[in-house]
């Protein structure tokens, strides 16, 4: 198993650093796993995975806070890759391939966050936009799967 889940150096030195330095709504206190998963959700919503160029480790795969998401990453891998060819179902245990795929979608999500931040230089407006995106993703999920979530109950 890979030791880290990676992001591009561009994002580490750009949007992630900006969020780390932000004091608004405690964005600087957001866990790496939560930030990665939010970028992943934005990337999945966008629908286009983006290849990582010049990447660095972002989350250690041995961290306890990321392990509960392994099933989610495998589910995304199944949905986007394996579902097209059911005979490859045994590859669902290949967590490294799942990591590589979610890294690409999160990479897209970090580009989305960067564009939002650029378009909304005011931290309060940027934060409100982020919260709005979270709510929209949650509503879409609730409608698509007919489930109540934390935000829709």
């Amino acid at each position: 198993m890979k030791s880290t889940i990676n992001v591009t150096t561009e994002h580490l030195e750009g949007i992630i650093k900006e969020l780390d330095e932000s004091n608004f709504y405690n964005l600087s206190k957001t866990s790496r796993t939560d930030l990665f998963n939010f970028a992943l959700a934005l990337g999945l919503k966008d629908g286009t995975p983006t290849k990582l160029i010049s990447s660095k480790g972002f989350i250690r795969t041995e961290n306890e806070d990321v392990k509960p998401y392994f099933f989610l990453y495998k589910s995304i891998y199944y949905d986007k890759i394996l579902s097209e060819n059911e005979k490859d179902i045994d590859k669902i245990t290949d967590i490294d391939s799942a990591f590589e795929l979610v890294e690409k979608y999160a990479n897209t999500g970090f580009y989305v966050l960067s564009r939002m931040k650029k378009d909304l230089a005011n931290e309060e407006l940027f934060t409100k936009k982020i919260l709005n995106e979270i709510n929209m993703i949650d509503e879409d999920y609730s409608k698509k799967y007919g489930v109540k979530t934390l935000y829709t109950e």
Side-chain angles (χ1 to χ4, degrees):
M1 177 170 61
K2 290 173 51 164
S3 63
T4 61
I5 296 173
N6 301 314
V7 297
T8 64
T9 306
E10 174 185 359
H11 295 318
L12 278 172
E13 295 170 357
I15 187 65
I16 295 169
K17 183 178 180 183
E18 289 178 41
L19 292 174
D20 284 347
E21 293 171 354
S22 174
N23 290 322
F24 201 74
Y25 277 102
N26 290 321
L27 287 176
S28 61
K29 296 189 181 359
T30 302
S31 79
R32 292 293 192 226
T33 301
D34 289 343
L35 181 57
F36 180 85
N37 287 336
F38 180 57
L40 172 59
L42 289 174
L44 288 167
K45 182 178 177 186
D46 182 84
T48 307
T50 309
K51 184 177 179 179
L52 278 73
I53 300 171
S54 181
S55 63
K56 288 186 178 179
F58 187 59
I59 303 169
R60 297 200 52 78
T61 56
E62 66 189 26
N63 290 358
E64 291 302 317
D65 73 327
V66 74
K67 288 179 181 178
Y69 294 100
F70 286 8
F71 79 93
L72 175 66
Y73 302 157
K74 287 180 180 183
S75 296
I76 293 167
Y77 180 60
Y78 173 79
D79 182 52
K80 301 295 183 187
I81 305 295
L82 298 179
S83 64
E84 295 174 8
N85 192 352
E86 294 282 332
K87 70 180 175 90
D88 290 336
I89 192 64
D90 289 339
K91 293 181 181 176
I92 196 71
T93 61
D94 183 6
I95 190 69
D96 286 346
S97 293
F99 288 154
E100 289 172 14
L101 181 65
V102 296
E103 288 170 347
K104 291 176 184 177
Y105 278 103
N107 192 39
T108 300
F110 282 118
Y111 280 118
V112 171
L113 276 172
S114 294
R115 284 192 304 270
M116 276 190 226
K117 182 78 170 133
K118 184 179 178 185
D119 292 346
L120 301 166
N122 177 296
E123 282 200 28
E124 184 175 0
L125 292 175
F126 174 67
T127 304
K128 287 180 180 179
K129 177 70 174 171
I130 289 174
L131 294 173
N132 188 46
E133 285 294 321
I134 291 170
N135 287 333
M136 288 184 350
I137 290 169
D138 187 69
E139 285 177 19
D140 291 347
Y141 178 85
S142 296
K143 288 177 187 172
K144 183 175 180 178
Y145 296 104
V147 295
K148 291 188 177 192
T149 66
L150 179 65
Y151 299 106
T152 57
E153 287 186 344

